Amino acid sequence: MKLLPDGTVFHDRAAQKIRRREQGHEYAAAQLVALGAPRPRPGGDPARWLAEALAAVGARNIRHRGAHRFLYRLGRTRREREEIELGLPALRPYPKRPDREQRAL
């Protein structure tokens, strides 16, 4: 994912639409053009244009923290499932690696 200068997120799926010229790529390209990227040239390489456009607007990479995690007790009977304790030890803080930007603040 990329963070755009206006604070919005430019998702990897939008970038893939531009690279493959899939349905909706015009909208994704228009987002970058509105922020100051050059217009894509007809017949040009969309992947090259995307890289140049992201650099021109000053987009920067951000790390996705991941999806939620769910735990389920496994056992053949209700009694077996209820005997299983859920939870993590307190010695393993989450997230394991804090984002670099958060440490700098």
Side-chain angles (χ1 to χ4, degrees), residues 55-102:
V57 300
R60 57 189 183 120
N61 291 327
I62 57 172
R63 187 174 69 101
H64 188 272
R65 295 181 180 216
H68 295 282
R69 297 179 183 180
F70 296 91
L71 282 166
Y72 296 97
R73 292 180 172 115
L74 300 177
R76 291 177 297 210
T77 65
R78 182 176 182 174
R79 173 174 269 171
E80 287 178 3
R81 289 189 295 271
E82 289 176 351
E83 289 176 357
I84 297 171
E85 294 182 25
L86 297 179
L88 298 173
L91 301 175
R92 296 177 57 195
Y94 185 79
K96 294 178 185 177
R97 286 180 261 157
D99 291 342
R100 292 180 188 181
E101 296 165 0
Q102 289 180 353

Side-chain angles (χ1 to χ4, degrees), residues 18-54:
I18 291 174
R19 284 188 209 101
R20 293 187 178 180
R21 293 191 176 159
E22 295 176 356
Q23 182 178 358
H25 76 274
E26 297 94 353
Y27 175 78
Q31 283 182 306
L32 298 175
V33 170
L35 292 172
R39 293 195 177 278
R41 294 184 186 116
D45 180 24
R48 174 177 271 162
W49 176 84
L50 177 63
E52 293 170 359
L54 290 172

